Amino acid sequence: MSIDELDRLVEKLDLERKVRLLTGATVWSTRAEPGIGLRAMVTSDGPVGVRGQGWDERSTSLTLPSATALAATWDDELVELLGGLLAGEARRKGVDVLLAPTLNLHRSPLGGRHFECYSEDPLLTGRIGAACVRGVQAGGVAATAKHYVANDSETERLTLDARVDERTLRELYLAPFEAAVEAGVWVVMSAYNGVNGTTMSESPLLTDPLKEAWGFDGVVVSDWGGVRSTAPAARAAQDLAMPGPESAWGEALVAAVRAGEVPEAAIDDKVRRLLRLASRVGALNLATGAERGEQAEQEEGREAARALLRRAVAASTVLLRNEDSLLPLDPARLRRVAVLGPNAAVPRIQGGGSAGVYPVSVVSPLDGIREALSGTAEVLHRPGPHLDDRPTPLGTGNARDPLTGEPGVLVRLLDAAGAEIHAEHRLTGRILEPARIDAAVTVEIRALLSPEVDGLWELAVAGWGHVLLEADGHVLVDEEVERDTDDPAVVHLSPPYRRARFPVTAGRDVELVSRRRLDPGSGIASVLAADPPRRADEEELAAAVELARTCDAVVVVVGSSEEIENEGADRTHLELPGRQDELVRAVAAANPATVVVVNSGGPMILPWREEVPAVLLSWFPGQEMGHGLADVLFGRAEPGGRLPTTWADRALVSTVPEDGTLAYAEGLDIGYRAWLRSPAPPAYWFGHGLGYTSWSYEEVSVSWDLSPESPLPVRVRLRNTGGRAGREVVQVYLSRPETAVARPARWLAGYALADAGPGEVVEVTVDVPARAFRHWSAEHQAWRAEEGAFTVLAGRSAADLPLSAEVLLGTEPPPRQETSGERSLAVL
């Protein structure tokens, strides 16, 4: 839609109607303006799937691997396909704007939302994020680049002020957002935090570089509740305040415009951008809704989608260690296989927080291995020591609706007199959003617990405000729970539990009732949970080790818990929770054919990594975890992943602000760049990952493209020296031996995928963008290139780079430069 057409629509609106459009109509939708043909646009969280409007377990979603897992593929084309899958899901659910991808960096492994961000490197993050944007928007759905900018940790995330020097900001933290804008992203989300003294919804960075230097012509939406002022935020390049219907704008903004505090031209620009977005997603002309419906009917079937998700699991799985080629396992040689660990039967397929979805289905590692070995080997399971003592919400497996007898629970809303005004059947005791009825004062969850074992069960209720828990008419909890946080992820998704124990008899139903008063500001989430008596950790550990001793091979699945990787809080350490390290060591000592699978969103300390022959990293791999993992374990697919972030035994930078300020004092040296300056190496370098074949890097050569703005082609020749076909991620880094400008020891400049059969030689071209040779000059407010020699390094990780060449940065390139061997020259 042209500027003139947009202007004509804006002219039809008076000030009040224009301002009304700039705040959401509901929590998840924008306002409609029928007079100009504008319908409401629906937004949804979406990094791993499209949840839709609100939280309802009855509305399931195809569930992708986490963002960190997607970055581990180093496969732009695959990620673009997955973006298309998200677009199809969004259309199916009537969603116009997907609140993804998250482009913040892994500044520290302690970041609690690590799993939702791609990488520690700006180039890898930018390329994978841009691929996601292209895939989503090709389906007519807006992608949202978030959270702009320096929202790289969770501690005090609503209020912290990130102090970042201009060069670091440009070269690291802004770079992925610039890549998203270059990919044509339609929406950018401003972050909660401040940068260099200004909260992001008021920041000049929204104007420049975002809208001016980069030419972003889309909408800047706030993080939910992120607009905290009227005139300052409206004078800035913030366009849309979410959620609605209340915000700091509304009538106050109309008054500010009339008082001359905010130019009406600024309001017009915001509305114009909103209308442009509406045009792009088909919300401005209702006739386009039919086109979107036709597209939805043409999307791939669920089986094809599951096959893509299964492929993504294998492509993101990183083989950290494989001594004596234990992997892949040969099913023909297996008769008994032990699958152990707390995450084996109940894995973490996604991280916790606002990005969560309700998966269509979940294939656990135990399920996938059993299916793969069906008719071949007996697969046995023990959980080992408990991961944590977090209560388990009631579900269809252990609870029934007392009214209908259906598996699940009964949820009722009560008025001030205790009378029922609404009732519905739900599938879980974790009710984050019951029906919204103004007269509701209390939410009640009622269920018949069907215990399978005798003993003292632990029962729990969660919520803010007054909570009550009863079992068979006995009051177990009656307490006032004061809210102690403003973080919306905690208020609305993770209310605190109150627990009690109650004796039950196997086979005899117990009626459980929880009630929570819906006080203003207390959120609406309520949880009713129940857990059976647990065997002692020592007994579970002994049983797991004994089973391992009797099997031909053992797969131990360890990982993190929701308590240590979740939105709203950073980690305080990198250790696996519970006694998982002890489990791994004991099992490996009992059976030398032990494979450890690490199921976490971010780096963990693996103190036993040299004591076990094989270690796989599965991340949070989405709903097809078990199928994809089995494909890797038994050689149907290669473990295609390479680390998108360094794994180490400690964090080099803190995520804890001091007096509200978080200093990015490390500058350009985060992740592998920092470890390159450390006297001790990390456990596993950025880019590391093994396959089921071996590779020899034979030659690197560079040549000059006559356009100084074009990428520098770096040709790398390598040979598959193993006995099976494989895929290698060829990585190219730059370094500057003699420099007048402070730089990292080396930095990622490009990558490409190489496929080859046994003994085959293949040559790949890695295009190194001109920007990779440049640095941001605060003095000149521009990108500058330092003349002289740069070293081009090629290999398989930030520390394994066997090939090198030189390029000479100058002003007059020769007409042609031939290169060969391990050292070559070209002039840029």
Side-chain angles (χ1 to χ4, degrees):
M1 181 169 278
S2 70
I3 292 289
D4 288 343
E5 290 173 306
L6 293 172
D7 284 343
R8 282 195 290 271
L9 291 176
V10 173
E11 288 170 2
K12 293 181 179 180
L13 303 174
D14 59 25
L15 177 61
E16 284 79 4
R17 287 196 293 169
K18 286 188 287 190
V19 168
R20 189 164 58 239
L21 289 176
L22 303 183
T23 292
T26 68
V27 174
W28 298 109
S29 66
T30 64
R31 290 186 183 274
E33 185 54 65
I36 57 172
L38 175 66
R39 66 166 172 83
M41 289 180 282
V42 175
T43 68
S44 170
D45 285 313
V48 298
V50 185
R51 191 175 62 247
Q53 297 189 69
W55 294 81
D56 189 331
E57 73 285 352
R58 297 165 295 185
S59 175
T60 59
S61 309
L62 290 172
T63 308
L64 281 65
S66 66
T68 310
L70 297 186
T73 68
W74 295 60
D75 190 335
D76 304 12
E77 292 182 7
L78 175 58
V79 172
E80 192 165 341
L81 289 174
L82 291 164
L85 188 153
L86 287 172
E89 283 282 276
R91 294 193 303 269
R92 180 175 70 85
K93 293 195 171 193
V95 168
D96 302 288
V97 180
L98 194 65
L99 303 176
T102 301
L103 300 179
N104 303 114
L105 297 185
H106 296 171
R107 175 178 171 264
S108 168
L110 295 171
R113 211 171 177 179
H114 206 288
F115 55 85
E116 199 178 322
C117 311
Y118 291 117
S119 166
E120 70 188 21
D121 183 84
L123 183 136
L124 178 59
T125 297
R127 279 185 53 171
I128 297 296
C132 179
V133 167
R134 290 192 299 269
V136 170
Q137 294 188 171
V141 175
T144 304
K146 65 181 190 182
H147 310 83
Y148 186 92
V149 62
N151 186 200
D152 309 296
S153 54
E154 296 296 283
T155 305
E156 299 180 26
R157 66 175 180 148
L158 302 183
T159 57
L160 76 80
D161 182 31
R163 296 298 172 92
V164 196
D165 70 82
E166 188 176 351
R167 184 180 171 203
T168 298
L169 196 59
R170 290 277 188 161
E171 294 188 23
L172 289 189
Y173 300 101
L174 285 169
F177 291 93
E178 185 175 6
V181 172
E182 288 175 355
V185 73
W186 295 341
V187 180
V188 169
M189 180 186 289
S190 59
Y192 288 126
N193 58 282
V195 173
N196 296 330
T198 307
T199 190
M200 281 310 305
S201 60
E202 303 171 11
S203 175
L205 294 171
L206 298 176
T207 301
D208 188 45
L210 179 60
K211 291 184 176 179
E212 291 185 354
W214 299 347
F216 174 64
D217 67 354
V219 169
V220 175
V221 63
S222 70
D223 205 339
W224 267 225
V227 170
R228 297 151 175 154
S229 67
T230 302
R235 285 194 298 266
Q238 179 72 49
D239 299 315
L240 176 63
M242 289 295 285
E246 303 298 328
S247 82
W249 286 355
E251 293 180 4
L253 181 51
V254 172
V257 173
R258 289 190 170 139
E261 298 173 14
V262 177
E264 189 164 358
I267 304 300
D268 290 347
D269 180 67
K270 299 176 196 302
V271 173
R272 191 180 300 116
R273 288 170 178 273
L274 199 66
L275 295 178
R276 183 182 292 120
L277 173 64
S279 175
R280 286 168 167 167
V281 302
L284 191 54
N285 185 336
L286 295 182
T288 60
E291 296 173 12
R292 286 171 57 80
E294 290 169 9
Q295 287 178 325
E297 290 174 8
Q298 296 169 4
E299 70 175 286
E300 292 182 7
R302 284 297 175 96
E303 288 307 310
R306 287 191 179 100
L308 180 61
L309 295 177
R310 180 172 182 163
R311 173 186 160 195
V313 174
S316 64
T317 298
V318 181
L319 180 57
L320 295 176
R321 177 178 170 86
N322 193 21
E323 292 301 295
D324 301 322
S325 297
L326 175 62
L327 291 175
L329 298 171
D330 183 356
R333 298 187 176 185
L334 302 174
R335 293 295 174 265
R336 280 170 60 90
V337 174
V339 181
L340 310 176
N343 289 42
V346 186
R348 290 198 73 190
I349 66 164
Q350 60 182 319
S354 63
V357 299
Y358 298 100
V360 170
S361 59
V362 176
V363 183
S364 71
L366 180 60
D367 295 334
I369 293 169
R370 276 185 171 152
E371 183 178 323
L373 296 179
S374 178
T376 301
E378 183 182 15
V379 177
L380 304 159
H381 169 62
R382 295 300 310 183
H386 304 113
L387 194 62
D388 58 34
D389 64 350
R390 191 177 182 86
T392 306
L394 293 177
T396 54
N398 65 353
R400 290 180 292 114
D401 183 325
L403 191 63
T404 66
E406 297 175 87
V409 305
L410 173 66
V411 176
R412 302 197 308 152
L413 296 180
L414 312 177
D415 64 16
E420 177 186 299
I421 55 177
H422 176 80
E424 61 182 335
H425 176 72
R426 299 293 291 265
L427 306 178
T428 174
R430 185 172 183 248
I431 305 298
L432 299 181
E433 287 190 346
R436 292 176 181 267
I437 298 176
D438 290 341
V441 172
T442 301
V443 58
E444 177 188 273
I445 307 173
R446 186 180 291 265
L448 295 176
L449 173 67
S450 304
E452 296 181 351
V453 296
D454 297 335
L456 278 176
W457 279 58
E458 184 171 88
L459 309 178
V461 59
W464 302 101
H466 183 261
V467 295
L468 177 79
L469 173 62
E470 295 180 354
D472 282 344
H474 299 277
V475 176
L476 305 179
V477 175
D478 186 354
E479 187 174 338
E480 210 56 56
V481 181
E482 287 190 26
R483 200 181 100 182
D484 58 3
T485 178
D486 291 325
D487 193 308
V490 180
V491 172
H492 298 295
L493 303 178
S494 302
Y497 281 97
R498 294 297 183 264
R499 315 176 193 216
R501 292 190 172 184
F502 188 76
V504 305
T505 302
R508 180 180 174 185
D509 288 344
V510 178
E511 184 170 27
L512 301 181
V513 179
S514 71
R515 295 191 189 95
R516 188 174 85 78
R517 193 176 63 234
L518 295 171
D519 294 334
S522 68
I524 56 176
S526 300
V527 187
L528 177 58
D531 288 282
R534 291 173 169 171
R535 293 177 66 186
D537 278 352
E538 288 296 340
E539 293 180 57
E540 291 289 7
L541 179 61
V545 173
E546 183 55 34
L547 177 58
R549 191 173 285 117
T550 66
C551 291
D552 302 309
V554 182
V555 178
V556 186
V557 187
V558 297
S560 66
S561 69
E562 194 165 337
E563 289 180 307
I564 65 171
E565 283 190 288
N566 202 352
E567 182 180 353
D570 289 320
R571 292 198 272 171
T572 57
H573 61 79
L574 301 178
E575 289 87 5
L576 288 166
R579 299 174 64 177
Q580 294 181 94
D581 291 333
E582 188 177 349
L583 171 68
V584 170
R585 283 184 159 132
V587 167
N591 191 323
T594 293
V595 180
V596 181
V597 179
V598 183
N599 176 206
S600 72
M604 311 294 297
I605 295 175
L606 311 178
W608 35 259
R609 63 181 182 272
E610 302 295 331
E611 302 169 30
V612 296
V615 182
L616 285 165
L617 171 56
S618 72
W619 310 102
F620 295 152
Q623 69 179 58
E624 294 298 312
M625 177 183 188
H627 284 149
L629 177 61
D631 289 343
V632 168
L633 288 171
F634 303 117
R636 296 172 185 164
E638 259 211 318
R642 303 295 184 265
L643 289 179
T645 195
T646 305
W647 277 49
D649 291 345
R650 60 192 174 93
L652 296 180
V653 296
S654 172
T655 61
V656 180
E658 294 185 11
D659 297 324
T661 297
L662 186 60
Y664 284 44
E666 69 283 352
L668 298 172
D669 287 329
I670 65 169
Y672 68 92
R673 301 171 177 210
W675 283 101
L676 286 167
R677 300 193 185 282
S678 173
Y684 298 106
W685 284 96
F686 173 85
H688 171 70
L690 308 174
Y692 288 158
T693 189
S694 55
W695 298 87
S696 171
Y697 281 74
E698 296 186 344
E699 185 177 76
V700 62
S701 60
V702 293
S703 61
W704 169 250
D705 188 303
L706 290 178
S707 170
E709 292 301 318
S710 295
L712 174 72
V714 177
R715 294 191 298 272
V716 181
R717 190 176 72 211
L718 62 163
R719 184 187 304 271
N720 182 344
T721 56
R724 59 179 282 165
R727 167 172 284 196
E728 177 75 332
V729 179
V730 179
Q731 301 165 43
V732 170
Y733 296 76
L734 296 179
S735 70
R736 170 80 167 161
E738 301 293 332
T739 179
V741 179
R743 299 177 185 273
R746 71 182 70 110
W747 60 96
L748 182 68
Y751 59 88
L753 303 179
D755 293 281
E760 194 174 310
V761 174
V762 63
E763 183 176 279
V764 299
T765 298
V766 179
D767 290 325
V768 174
R771 174 69 64 81
F773 293 91
R774 296 174 181 165
H775 63 276
W776 177 258
S777 170
E779 178 185 357
H780 298 95
Q781 288 295 291
W783 292 96
R784 290 299 177 102
E786 200 182 11
E787 294 185 8
F790 283 76
T791 302
V792 177
L793 302 154
R796 54 184 311 147
S797 78
D800 185 1
L801 300 164
L803 301 180
S804 66
E806 266 193 6
V807 289
L808 190 63
L809 211 63
T811 55
E812 295 295 330
R816 184 177 178 83
Q817 180 71 49
E818 296 293 343
T819 64
S820 62
E822 291 196 3
R823 195 162 184 80
S824 52
L825 288 174
V827 180
L828 294 182

